Structures are given as structure tokens and as C-alpha cells.
Amino acid sequence: MGLILAQLLTGLANAGALFMVASGLSLIFGVTRIVNFAHGSFYMLGAYVGYSLMQVLPGAVGFWGAILLSGLVVGLIGALVEVIVLRRVYAAPELFQLVATFGVILVVQDLALAIWGPTDLLGPRAPGLRGVVRVMGEPVPQYDLALIAITPVVALALWYLIARTRVGVLVRAATQDREMVAALGVNQRWLFTGTFFLGCALAGLGGALQLPKGGADLLMDFTILAQVFVVVVIGGMGSLPGALLASVLISVLNVFGVSYLPQSTLVLMYVVMVAVLMWRPFGLLGRAEVAGELGQVGAPEEPIRPAGWPIRATVAAALAVLAALPFWGSPFSVVLATDILIFCLFAASLHMLIGLGGLVSFGHAAFWGGGAYVAALLVARLDVPMEVAMLAAPVGAGLAALAVGWIALRASGVYFAMLTLAFAQLLWSLVLQWGAVTGGDDGIVGVWPADWASGNTAYFYLALALSVGGILALRHMAHAPLGYALRAARDAPLRAEATGLHTRRLQLVAFALAGTLAGLAGGLFVFSKGSVFPNELEISRSFDALIVVFLGGVKTLSGGWVGGAVFESAEDLLTRFAFWRLTLGLLIIAVVIVAPEGIVGAARGLARRAGLTRDADPAREDAR
Amino acid sequence: MAEGAPMLEVADIATFYGRAQVLDGVSFSVAPGEVVALLGRNGAGKTTTLKSIIGLVPPRAGRVTFRGQEITGWPSYRIARAGLGYVPEERRIFTQLTVAENLEVGRQPPREGAVGWSEDALFELFPNLAERRGNLGKALSGGEQQMLTIARTLMGNPALVLLDEPSEGIAPVIVAQMARAVRRLKAEGLTVVLSEQNLAFARAVADRAVILDHGRVRFDDSFAALDARPEVRDAHLSVSGA
Ligand SMILES: Nc1ncnc2c1ncn2[C@@H]1O[C@H](COP(=O)(O)OP(=O)(O)O)[C@@H](O)[C@H]1O
Ligand SMILES: [Mg+2]
């Protein structure tokens, strides 16, 4: 009994930081409609800044002062990011916003590495609260009790601000109708910047407050992000009471999970989430709401036309040159080209989903990594030949996509995105924690191709055939009835339904197809590397694919593979430098601001301005 | 501002949604204290004209001048703060906020040369709202929501109010109340531009009619002059409530 109570108290104490980060995320989303993926980074900054401040500020006053100051400093950094970056993407589709905030994540990661170094920092303990209190015989840290007392105070202060002040009234009004608020004379810029300040300050506060319990390290940003998404999805996006409730639920669950089901703590969290969503698709206290437009923005899209012969000829020539690479390139270039081809297929599959289907999935790595694991498990555990494993990868990933899509497509917009992300995390945690089968952190090694495909050159041709085949199949689909129907469902769902299209079934087909091809890419990947590790299922892998699609350009058919090729080559180059994350992050942010149509879109625009193509000439103005 | 200068002057504005042009050189002006009715069929461009003035859909060409100051291209909030109030047609009240909170969103400091409104004065103008002070916006009836949108805008103490179809979709009793309210605003010295399809309502409250069709002004004169030219009415208005 005492033990259970003590664990309950630990869970409540852990809920504090989680609630602060989640409520900040919720608040920012409510007003600005931006899902701030960099929110975990602000939490991490709060911990680091707090750590540094605690080094210089002495005593109890210094400790608590440092925590408050961290919130303030991080809030100001957040406001700065809002003014410099996010202000420019409010009107953009979610993908642009995601990519912009992802750029911020990369920049913060490298800055933190540069300033605080790679080693984990042990948080100082709170002066005067270093001991434990006995609760029914069980020791409970005094600091935990302090956290349990502080969280409701923060929650109440937040509630007062939102419910009882003019600022809160404006924030709530803007959550519903920003344009109307502006037409009534309220300067939205300040409202948005202010909301960002507050949301980020809360994240920073959470980061600093958990220092004595968890310290500071460079992985905090993604760790908390995954949890925060679960909290926000369970509690309901935009609901502060929901965030509090879900934070407590998840934290308590985690504490009990650690003691009674140590092998499945992570999985447990996602299982609960899925269960809640089956029951209430918009979270415990969330409201069903339209979650903004997806995928597309701005000028009406140009119709997609089949490529004209000059372009077909160029592509065929380029393919021929590529196919001859083993004869003119170095052995290294053949390996690199194989990597690039595989990644292009992965990116193209997501690109189809976003571009044609308007379905922004944040968890596409589930199918890439899923396919890789299916193949690897078959080979390593059951001695299945490569050919069979290579077939099983897309089939397995496709079936998984069918299951995930069936649930996730009940929601749309941001909810859909978060659900896909959560499923990817579920798979990741399964693989990580089911070590007996998957090898856990150690991954699966020794997955080599069959003899006939084992040479670099032979495998290059296999990758070339399957990737190009897959990409061509995707292209073909865009011009087939399924492609048209998908676009109709994306642009005018109600009208599409009225004309007899079954929107959700169509989307499910597209989702399964994208998963299948991602699984094929994953299968190719695992045999090219000989091994697979859980990081192929991580959030950052899904984000890689999203960035590629974005860089390539959403509205262009070829955006997927062009972005994939550029990204994979650039990453190969970049990762040889120190601070490549910083460089890549700044690059991404620059692209978001300067060339939001992506590489292919921007190239097309340049060509048009240079007079290479004419606006009204359909033969050349095709959507390459 | 010189004596006799217009309060609002719309000069040759052209407004687009994406590539589609909706206003094609709209011009008219409004004198201080005047009530002008923008008339026209559904889709004629009335709402777009009002949104162009308040800056929600900024015109690509032409000028909008308010109290002698050019406001073209300003962000909406600055135009609103300059003393232009906007009441949208879709009754965009904040449904999750109470009546009092809706009014709070609209509150702006008192302005020189404009009527100052307090919550109490507005509850006197729209007595129905007073009893609903603590209710959520979504609990109000259609007519009450319409009153709330107007009251909310008046909280900003505007010198001129743009009213988009105030009589649309509300019960006849409420329409009569609405007409009284508009006349009361005029009596208080406010300038009003309202869009209408209901000719009877417009005639009851407005001094002058400006008729729009296909994004252009087709008529701009008194209601007496309009009555003398039935062909204008037949060509550009759906004949309702003559
Ligand atoms: N958001 C919009 N996007 C595209 N076209 C619009 C939009 N709003 C209105 N329109 C078009 O502009 C024209 C004028 O509309 P509107 O100004 O609302 O007319 P009114 O208020 O006189 O009924 C109509 O043809 C309408 O279809
Ligand atoms: Mg209208």
C-alpha cells in the first residue's frame, strides 16, 4: 500500500514538467495553428540554461531564481524564433511549418552541443529539499513533493490568465477566429509573439524544474516530444485541463510500468493512447474541430500532365547514364548511388501520400523501418532467402499501413499527423523493448543479400530496378483514375463524396500503397547495409523524409525523388563537417523562407522567368 | 479634415480572390453622418467591397481613404484602430466565449470624434443581450448573435461602421429592431455603410443607395431617384421587398 502511494506520488511529480511542456504546445497550437515540433528543444534549452544559471546563482534563492529565469530566457528565445522564422509560415501548409520548426530543432541541437558539450549534465539538487520524507514507511524525495505542490500553482496561474484576463480572452478568441480578432483592432503579431513567449517559457520552466530529477542531455528534445504528443493527443489538442489530466495519466502509468512491466513501459504509453483514441478520436477533453488545410496552399495547383517527349527523352538519357555508373564511376559512387536510389523510393512514397492524397504523415519511418525489420527478422531468425524477404518487406509494411491507416484516417489534419507519429513511436518502442526477438538496441546484424546480388554493382542494379520501377509506378498512378480520385478527395472532400467517391477508402488505399513502397525501400536498405537498428523507426527518420518531400516541392510530381537525391547527397557531404546540423537547420529555414515551392518548383519558376518555358504551353508546362 | 470632405472615399478599387477578379473599379464616397446602402444581388461584390475597405481582402489597385488618410494596404487591425468598425455577414461571434467576453474582444480605447460606447449603453441598445451577458455565444439565437456582432464592433468606438447584410436570416421582429438600431446609430452621429439585398430594409434606414453588379457600381443616388428608374432595379436587383 505504502509502495503504491509512493509510486503514485512519483508519477504526480513527473507529471509537472510534462504538463508544462504539453500545455505550452497546446496553447501555441490553439492560437497560431502551428504544431511546434521544436517544443522539445525549448524544454531542453530550459534544462541547460537552468543548469548554467544554477552554477552562478547561490543558495535556495539562486536555485528557484534560476528556474524562473530559465523560463524567462527560453520564452524570449521562443519569441525571437517566432519573429524571425515562424511569422513567415503562418499562412503556409502544415508541412512547411513542420519543416521550419524542424530546422529550429537542428539548430538548437548543435548550439547546445557547442555550448554545453556532449556529456550529460547532472542536475544540481534543490537546496533544502535534498532529503526524503517517509510516506507510510516508503521514502519519497522532498523535491517530488515540492513539484507536486508547484504544478497546480502553475496550472492555476495559467487558468487564471486564460480564463480571467483580457489577454486570455483575446487568446481564446484568436483560437477560434484570428481574422475576426484582427478586424476588431487587435494586433495579432503581438498576440502570436506573446503566445509563443508564454508557450516556450512554460517549456523552459518544465525543463529547468526537472533538472534535479533528470539533469540535462542532448536527447531530451525528442524524448519529451514523443511523450508530449501522446499527452496532447490523449488530452485533446488545445485543452489545458486535458493536458493536465493526460500528463498525470501518462506519468503515473510510466512509474507503475517501470516497476511492474519494465519491458514494456514505452509500449504501454502508446497502447493507452490508441485505446483512448478508439474511444474518443479527439482526445479525452478535446473538441472535434477542423484542423486547417493540408498539403496545399496558395495559388490553384496546375494540372498534372503526362511528361512530354523532350522530358521523357531527358529522363531516359539520364537513366542510361546512371545505369552505366559502374563503368564510369568509382566503387564508392556506386554505393552512394545505391543509398540515394533507395532513399528516393522512400521519399517518393511519402511524396505521393502528401502531394496527391493531401495526407501529411509524420510517421512514415514506421513502414520504412518496418519493412527493414520484417526482412531482417526473416533472414536472421528464420533463414529465409533474400528474395522472399525482399517480397515480405513491402507486404508486411503494406499490411501495417492498412492497419494504421484504418485508425489514423478517422482523424484529419494535425490529428492525423500526430496519430501516424504515435504509431511509428509505438512500433519503435516495440522493437526497442522486445529485445528477445528484435535484438533491441543492438539491432539485427548479418543480413546480407543472396550471392547473386552480393556485389556492390549487382546490388546497385537491383536497387536501380526496384526503385525506378517503384517511382514509375507512383507516377503512373498519379495519371490513373486512382490518382485523379485522390486529388478530388484532397481538394474537395465533400464534393468528392457527393459524386460517389468513397474518400476514406481511397485514402486508405493510398496510405497502404505508400507504406508498401516505403517497406520495399526499407527491405532494399537492410540488405545494402547488412544490418538494421531501431533508429530507422525514429521520429527523426520520418522527419528526414518529410524534409525531403518539402525540399523537392510538394506540388510537383518529381519533388519526392529529386529532393531525396539532393538531400541524401547533401547529407553525405554535410555530415563530414562539425556542426552539420546547424548548417542543415539554417539551410532548411532559409529554403522555407526563400523558396517555399521547393527545388523543382523553384527551378520551374526560374526556367519560366528565363523564358525557357512559357506559361500557356501545355506541352512543356507539365508537372515534372 | 476640411468641412464637407467625405468620411470614406473608395476610389476605383480592383479586388481579386487568387486569379479571379471580383471588383472591377468600384468607387463611391460617404459623407460624415450619412447612411449608405450597398445593394446588389447575391455575388455582386458587396461583401468583397466591405472586406476590401477593412483590409481583409486588400484591393490590388485603387485607393481607400478614411477621414482624409489613405488606408489602402494597411493591416486590418490598424484600419480598425483608425475608427472603422466591421460587422461581418456570417455573424462571426466567438461561440466559445460569453457575451461579455465577446464584447471585451471588441473593446478599444475611446476615440476622438467618435461616439464612446460602454457595455451598459450597448445593453440599452440591445436589451436582449443584457440578460444573456454570461451565456456562451453558441447559446444565443440567430438574432441575438447578429446583435452581438454589432455590439462587439461598437465596443471599438468606431466613427464609421461597415454592416454586412444586417437583416439576413433573422426573424421579422428582429429585423425591425435592427432597423431601429441602425437609425439610432445615425442619430448618435455614426456614419454607416451597410450591404443589403432587402430593399425595404435599406430604404427604411439609408439615405442613399449604391448598386453593385458584377463588381461595378451601376447606380449611386437617393432612393427617390431609384424609384424613378425602375429599369435599374430590374436589371441589377432581385426584386424582393420593394
Ligand atoms: N473567398 C472567396 N474566394 C473566391 N471567390 C469568392 C470568395 N468570396 C466571394 N467570392 C466570389 O466573389 C463574388 C462576389 O462575392 P461577394 O462579395 O460575397 O458578393 P455579395 O456579398 O454581393 O453576395 C462572387 O462571385 C463570389 O463567388
Ligand atoms: Mg455578401
Side-chain angles (χ1 to χ4, degrees), chain A residues 166 172 176-177 179 185 187, chain B residues 77 81 92 95 101 104:
Chain A
R166 173 169 168 87
R172 279 182 289 140
Q176 190 182 342
D177 189 344
E179 198 183 60
N187 186 351
Chain B
Y77 82 90
R81 284 187 185 179
R92 288 157 70 170
T95 48
E101 286 171 339
E104 175 64 31

Side-chain angles (χ1 to χ4, degrees), chain A residues 163-164 166 169-170 172-174 176-188 287 299-300 302, chain B residues 19 51 54 56 76-77 80-81 84 86 88 92-97 101-102 104-108 152-153:
Chain A
R164 289 284 181 268
R166 173 169 168 87
V169 169
L170 294 181
R172 279 182 289 140
Q176 190 182 342
D177 189 344
R178 293 186 265 180
E179 198 183 60
M180 199 57 231
V181 171
L184 288 168
V186 176
N187 186 351
Q188 288 191 49
R287 267 194 306 273
E302 292 165 21
Chain B
R19 287 185 197 166
K51 285 188 173 175
I54 192 69
L56 288 179
S76 303
Y77 82 90
R81 284 187 185 179
L84 248 164
Y86 169 67
R92 288 157 70 170
I93 59 162
F94 305 108
T95 48
Q96 302 296 330
L97 270 56
E101 286 171 339
N102 266 278
E104 175 64 31
V105 178
R107 191 164 61 82
Q108 292 285 329
R152 185 180 64 179
T153 300

Side-chain angles (χ1 to χ4, degrees), chain B residues 47 89 164-165:
Chain B
T47 297
E89 71 182 324
D164 202 350
E165 300 217 25

